[in-house]
Amino acid sequence: MSGFMEKSNRRKYFLEKLSGKLFLICAFISVISLALIISFVFFKGFRPFVAEGYNFIQFLLGYDWVPGEGHFGVFPMIVTSLYATIGALIIGVPIGLFTAVFLAEIAPKPIVKILSPAVQLLAGIPSVLFGVFGLAVIVPFLQNYLGLAKGQSLIAVIIVLAIMMLPTIVTVSETAIRSVPQSYREGSLALGVSEMRTIFKVVIPAAKSGIMAAIVLGMGRAIGETMAVILVAGNSLMIPTSLTDSVRPLTTNIALEMGYAAGIHQEMLFATGIVLFSFILILNFILAKISAKGGQ
Amino acid sequence: MKTAVQLPKNNSFQPQNNKNAKISVHNFNLFYGEKQALFDISLDINEKEITALIGPSGCGKSTFLRSINRMNDLIDNVKVSGEIFIDNENIYRSNDVIKLRTKVGMVFQKPNLFPMSIYDNVAYGPRMHGIKNKKVLNHIVEESLRGAAIWDEVKDRLKSSALGLSGGQQQRVCIARAIAMKPEVILMDEPTSALDPISTLKVEELLSQMKENYTIVIVTHNMQQAARVSDRTAFFLNGEVIEYDTTDTIFSVPKDKRTEEYITGRFG
């Protein structure tokens, strides 16, 4: 009897160890993928600067992008990406935050039951459909009603990105607002402070770190968005001087040209990817800081 | 003069019709949806006295307390009938809860200071009611913290976070925050149940001083506390007031058998 027990126990221990290893391998797959992507992009992207004598500063600050003549400057695209993201934040953050406040604090339950899933569904719409919507609705609207010569413009990009970041901002800040202890609200209301002032003076400040995280996540979404932007940006290579200019952000530059690029041109597109990746990395770093602060 | 409302004859419990009554409750009922939580409460609460509400958990004493500043309005599906008068004004007739809650302050079971500095917590109420002058605010903050017997402990750290204080200190800052609004009535919902014995003692001493200026209604689980600090005691059971009298009477010669059983610890 005891011999049998020992044998079956040995098998159990073996399975334990084996499954442990299996999970470890699974966990490593994502880390390995990340490492591979980063090293690949950086290897390809840095090669022209290391081996071919191109100047990285000139690449970052150069105005001209003419692959045929060997001019690779991404400054207009960096500026465009920043403008588009900041513009989207200016529109998307107030709308998203007020929606979150409404859902978490004000709206009666039946309305929340309709609105909340609707906002979450907005997050699940494939990005190309946002682009199609922008192209079919926003761009003609800008042309016909605001008199733009060409509707594909910075403002179209900003509007589409603002809509796309809404679900992130709404859901994350709604969660943050809901997690503010009820006792804070009671404390304020019991002092004879109105509900709206309680929300803005106590609840939102208490949810500050969660709301900041929501904004940073929304920014990440906006700066990395490609498909929807291609359709409405117009893709002209210039530093935008007004909201109505046709623009090309970093992401669409890669997507538009990667298909036919070769040699240095292709490597320069990887270098564009490095710039984009750095932006996302900085945002993630900020996010981690905010979360750590919020957790205290 | 005092009560314009006629009490129905069948009301078994008669308010004292005391001239000192600050709060006068007549046949007050409260429902959570279909479920009735308070039954026909009638009592007078005297000015500048401490009135204790005692009773087992779920007997409705906190619900009643929260009816006095209409905090129950925050809960969906709450319906009330009957009247509560404060200074002869029916608080459920007017919808100015802001005015009501300015006059009737509240201290909660657990200290609920905001995540701000001590100063900002105490100044919060006055600021929200439009006081911006720095000198005036400084004065109010100091006066309130002194009134809550916590000034000496926090005067050097007014700008640091209130959440760094001990539980007992936080509760006294909560009291200061309530005092800062210069209320006439202060409601306290088991203010010492989350505190250690020493902090509890400090708060109890404070209560006795505060009674010179405020009408205090305190819910407590702790019968010794009710006996120590209060002038009058109401015993709640299953949403009804079983007995309401001076604290001495309640604790020495209770009229109702259930009161006696509760205060002698036979249930609850």
Side-chain angles (χ1 to χ4, degrees), chain B residues 33-146:
Chain B
E34 297 294 304
K35 191 175 166 282
Q36 188 163 4
L38 294 176
F39 296 84
D40 222 17
I41 309 283
S42 295
L43 49 83
D44 283 355
I45 290 168
N46 287 350
E47 190 165 18
K48 295 184 182 169
E49 276 189 6
I50 298 179
T51 303
L53 312 179
I54 61 169
S57 299
C59 66
K61 55 196 192 303
S62 281
T63 301
F64 175 65
L65 190 79
R66 285 165 166 261
S67 301
I68 301 175
N69 65 346
R70 293 186 59 172
M71 285 301 273
N72 286 326
D73 289 16
L74 302 180
I75 304 164
D76 293 339
N77 287 325
V78 166
K79 283 189 200 76
V80 300
S81 69
E83 294 100 6
I84 295 180
F85 292 90
I86 297 180
D87 293 333
N88 295 328
E89 212 173 310
N90 186 340
I91 62 165
Y92 280 90
R93 188 147 302 162
S94 138
N95 269 326
D96 193 352
V97 289
I98 290 176
K99 185 180 150 207
L100 170 68
R101 291 177 191 156
T102 310
K103 191 169 177 175
V104 183
M106 187 162 201
V107 176
F108 295 82
Q109 187 169 0
K110 284 197 185 123
N112 61 346
L113 292 174
F114 308 128
M116 313 169 179
S117 71
I118 297 167
Y119 184 98
D120 288 340
N121 263 286
V122 181
Y124 175 82
R127 274 185 181 140
M128 289 299 115
H129 287 83
I131 297 175
K132 290 200 183 74
N133 185 309
K134 195 99 179 81
K135 269 191 187 154
V136 177
L137 281 175
N138 286 344
H139 178 73
I140 293 175
V141 169
E142 178 170 348
E143 193 183 52
S144 308
L145 288 167
R146 282 189 193 282

Side-chain angles (χ1 to χ4, degrees), chain B residues 192-221:
Chain B
T192 61
S193 66
L195 304 185
D196 61 86
I198 292 169
S199 303
T200 300
L201 194 69
K202 280 187 179 163
V203 171
E204 284 181 9
E205 282 169 8
L206 175 59
L207 286 178
S208 317
Q209 297 165 23
M210 283 169 64
K211 136 178 139 170
E212 288 169 25
N213 299 310
Y214 308 99
T215 305
I216 296 171
V217 186
I218 179 171
V219 164
T220 177
H221 251 114

